[in-house]
C-alpha cells in the first residue's frame, strides 16, 4: 500500500468543475481502493479544510496568489513522508516539491501544453521530474519535440470516464427532433461559431435539428454567439456553466456530441463522456482526439474542421441514418467501457509509478 500525494493547481478547488480537478479526484478515488492518497488543493468557501473518504484525504490550503499557494502546500507537506508524489499541470510547483523531497519519486502530470511554454525556466523545472505523464500520444509527441532533453521521461496514460454515471438511455422507438450537444468552455478556440453555421447548413436537409451549448464563457462572447445563432436561424439553447456533478443529465438529453475544436486538444474529456453515454461523437481531427474517436466506428473525425460544411455532412449522416446511428452509439459505449474507464487510468499510472520506485 503506497502513500501517494497529489498536488492540484491553484485556480480551482477539488472537487471542482475544471477538467484537471475532475481527473485528479477521479484517479484519486481509484487509487484509494488500494493505497493511501492525499490531495492538496486550494481553500474554497463552502468546502472544509479537510475532507476524508476512506483512504482518500483532501486538504485545502491558503491561497491568494500562485506564490502564496505553493508556499502553503510546502508548509503542509513539510516533514511528512510519501512513496510517490504527483503534481498536476504546474512544472514550477513540481520543481519546488521535488526540491523539498529529493529522495521521493515526483511526477509531473500534464493535461495540455498551456502551462509548458518552450522556455529555459520551464525546461529547468521539468528536468527535476522523475517522470512526466502525458494524457495522450499527441501530447507526449509534442512534449518530446519541445523538450527533447526530457523526452526519455515522458509516459502516456489516457484519461477516463465514470462509466456508471455516464451511461446510455433507451432511445428505441424515439421520434421527434435531433439534439446536437456542445459541452466545454465557450471560448474562441472551441469552435462554437463553426458549429452554429454547420447546424444551419444541416437544417436545410433536416429542419428539426437543434443545438444545446453547455459551458461558461465571457458574457460579451456568449452574446455574439447568440446573435450568430439568431442570424443563421439556429435554435440554440445556451445553458451556461453546469456543475460537473450534473453534467451527465445533459448528455442523456442529446443524440450526438460535436466537438469542433479549432486548436490542439490534448485529450478531450467530453468525447469519452459522450461515448460512455452512448452518443456518437463528431469531432475535429486535431491533437489527441483521434486516439478516442474512431472514424466510422464510434463517430466521425472532421479533417477540414474549420469548414462548417464538413461538420454538417457528418451531423446529417448520424441524424438521417438510424441504422448507422445505432451502430455508432453502441460502439461508442463499448469503447468507453473497454478503453477509457478511470479504473484503467489509475491502474496504468500505478504500474508506471511502481516502476519509478
Amino acid at each position: 500500500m503506497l502513500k501517494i500525494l497529489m498536488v492540484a493547481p491553484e485556480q480551482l478547488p477539488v472537487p471542482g468543475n475544471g477538467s484537471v480537478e475532475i481527473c485528479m479526484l477521479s484517479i484519486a478515488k481509484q487509487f484509494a481502493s488500494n493505497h493511501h492518497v492525499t490531495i492538496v488543493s486550494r481553500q474554497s468557501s463552502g468546502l472544509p479544510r479537510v475532507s476524508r473518504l476512506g483512504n482518500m484525504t483532501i486538504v485545502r490550503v491558503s491561497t491568494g496568489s500562485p506564490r502564496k499557494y505553493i508556499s502553503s502546500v510546502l508548509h503542509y507537506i513539510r516533514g511528512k513522508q510519501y512513496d510517490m508524489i504527483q503534481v498536476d499541470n504546474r512544472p514550477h510547483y513540481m520543481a519546488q516539491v521535488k526540491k523539498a523531497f529529493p529522495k521521493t519519486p515526483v511526477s509531473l502530470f500534464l493535461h495540455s501544453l498551456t502551462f509548458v511554454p518552450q522556455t529555459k525556466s520551464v525546461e529547468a523545472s521539468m528536468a527535476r521530474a522523475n517522470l512526466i505523464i502525458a494524457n495522450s500520444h499527441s501530447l507526449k509527441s509534442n512534449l518530446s519535440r519541445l523538450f527533447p532533453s526530457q523526452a526519455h521521461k515522458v509516459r502516456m496514460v489516457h484519461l477516463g470516464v465514470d462509466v456508471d454515471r455516464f451511461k446510455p438511455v433507451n432511445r428505441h422507438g424515439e421520434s421527434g427532433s435531433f439534439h446536437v450537444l456542445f459541452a466545454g468552455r465557450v471560448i474562441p478556440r472551441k469552435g462554437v461559431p463553426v458549429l452554429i453555421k454547420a447546424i444551419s447548413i444541416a437544417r436545410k436537409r433536416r429542419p428539426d435539428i437543434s443545438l444545446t451549448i453547455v459551458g461558461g464563457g465571457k458574457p460579451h462572447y456568449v452574446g455574439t454567439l447568440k446573435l450568430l445563432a439568431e442570424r443563421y436561424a439556429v435554435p440554440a439553447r445556451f445553458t451556461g456553466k453546469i456543475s460537473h456533478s450534473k453534467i451527465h443529465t445533459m448528455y442523456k438529453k442529446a443524440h450526438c456530441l460535436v466537438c469542433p475544436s479549432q486548436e490542439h486538444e490534448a485529450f478531450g474529456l467530453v468525447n469519452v463522456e459522450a461515448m460512455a453515454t452512448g452518443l456518437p461523437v463528431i469531432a475535429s481531427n486535431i491533437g489527441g482526439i483521434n486516439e478516442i474517436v474512431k472514424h466510422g466506428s464510434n463517430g466521425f473525425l472532421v479533417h477540414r474542421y474549420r469548414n462548417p460544411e464538413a461538420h454538417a455532412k457528418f451531423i446529417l449522416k448520424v441524424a438521417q441514418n438510424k441504422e448507422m446511428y445505432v451502430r455508432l452509439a453502441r460502439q461508442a459505449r463499448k469503447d468507453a467501457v473497454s478503453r477509457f474507464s478511470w479504473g484503467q487510468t489509475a491502474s496504468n499510472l500505478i504500474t508506471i509509478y511502481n516502476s519509478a520506485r
Side-chain angles (χ1 to χ4, degrees):
M1 186 175 267
L2 301 178
K3 284 185 71 176
I4 301 170
L5 171 69
M6 301 172 75
V7 179
E10 78 288 348
Q11 288 175 310
L12 298 167
V14 176
N17 291 316
S19 60
V20 173
E21 291 72 27
I22 290 162
C23 295
M24 291 186 74
L25 184 59
S26 301
I27 292 167
K29 285 178 178 177
Q30 296 293 327
F31 281 168
S33 60
N34 295 303
H35 307 283
H36 289 291
V37 187
T38 301
I39 299 178
V40 182
S41 176
R42 62 164 291 159
Q43 263 186 302
S44 182
S45 59
L47 292 172
R49 282 285 190 141
V50 179
S51 302
R52 289 189 174 86
L53 180 66
N55 286 332
M56 182 178 72
T57 303
I58 304 174
V59 178
R60 301 178 183 92
V61 300
S62 300
T63 186
S65 69
R67 183 176 290 183
K68 173 74 185 296
Y69 176 69
I70 190 58
S71 175
S72 300
V73 170
L74 292 169
H75 178 75
Y76 170 75
I77 63 179
R78 191 170 293 122
K80 296 178 172 63
Q81 287 191 319
Y82 303 98
D83 298 308
M84 188 73 212
I85 299 174
Q86 173 183 309
V87 180
D88 281 59
N89 243 26
R90 296 296 189 273
H92 297 315
Y93 291 1
M94 179 277 303
Q96 291 185 63
V97 170
K98 180 63 183 178
K99 190 176 179 181
F101 288 82
K103 295 180 181 178
T104 304
V106 177
S107 75
L108 173 64
F109 196 127
L110 290 171
H111 298 254
S112 70
L113 293 169
T114 306
F115 294 94
V116 282
Q118 193 180 14
T119 65
K120 288 183 179 179
S121 67
V122 167
E123 185 154 20
S125 289
M126 289 173 70
R128 288 185 169 272
N130 296 92
L131 289 167
I132 298 166
I133 309 297
N135 62 14
S136 67
H137 292 292
S138 174
L139 183 56
K140 179 184 177 185
S141 174
N142 273 282
L143 291 169
S144 299
R145 175 179 56 79
L146 291 169
F147 305 101
S149 66
Q150 305 305 308
H152 65 288
K153 298 177 183 176
V154 185
R155 307 287 185 273
M156 195 289 297
V157 177
H158 278 142
L159 302 177
V161 60
D162 182 340
V163 294
D164 295 319
R165 182 157 72 93
F166 294 86
K167 55 188 177 185
V169 292
N170 188 354
R171 296 196 177 281
H172 290 299
E174 189 184 84
S175 59
S177 60
F178 188 87
H179 301 292
V180 173
L181 175 68
F182 168 89
R185 289 180 296 155
V186 183
I187 55 177
R189 67 189 299 271
K190 295 294 183 178
V192 177
V194 174
L195 177 54
I196 289 171
K197 292 171 187 175
I199 297 289
S200 173
I201 295 165
R203 278 171 56 81
K204 290 172 184 172
R205 297 270 297 279
R206 186 164 170 176
D208 64 345
I209 296 176
S210 63
L211 173 63
T212 299
I213 295 164
V214 175
K218 292 181 179 178
H220 177 72
Y221 184 61
V222 173
T224 63
L225 294 176
K226 288 179 178 178
L227 289 172
L228 188 69
E230 283 180 30
R231 180 180 155 202
Y232 282 89
V234 170
R237 178 186 170 211
F238 290 77
T239 69
K241 190 181 288 186
I242 289 180
S243 167
H244 192 262
S245 63
K246 297 175 183 173
I247 196 79
H248 59 286
T249 62
M250 301 308 299
Y251 288 99
K252 288 180 179 181
K253 294 175 184 175
H255 291 93
C256 79
L257 176 90
V258 180
C259 178
S261 294
Q262 301 294 293
E263 294 180 28
H264 184 270
E265 291 279 359
F267 184 79
L269 212 53
V270 295
N271 297 310
V272 290
E273 290 175 347
M275 286 165 53
T277 316
L279 301 184
V281 175
I282 297 164
S284 299
N285 188 15
I286 192 169
I289 290 175
N290 63 16
E291 298 169 37
I292 305 165
V293 179
K294 299 302 176 186
H295 192 73
S297 175
N298 56 27
F300 291 107
L301 292 165
V302 183
H303 297 280
R304 294 184 301 122
Y305 51 81
R306 300 198 192 284
N307 186 335
E309 289 186 1
H311 291 274
K313 179 178 83 171
F314 293 117
I315 292 169
L316 280 168
K317 265 196 171 189
V318 297
Q320 293 184 314
N321 188 330
K322 190 170 182 180
E323 199 174 291
M324 175 191 285
Y325 179 89
V326 171
R327 176 176 60 78
L328 294 171
R330 285 178 179 162
Q331 190 62 44
R333 171 66 183 177
K334 186 177 177 183
D335 289 348
V337 172
S338 65
R339 297 177 56 217
F340 297 109
S341 71
W342 283 121
Q344 286 171 291
T345 302
S347 175
N348 291 338
L349 261 181
I350 285 294
T351 300
I352 291 168
Y353 288 166
N354 277 325
S355 71
R357 294 177 61 236

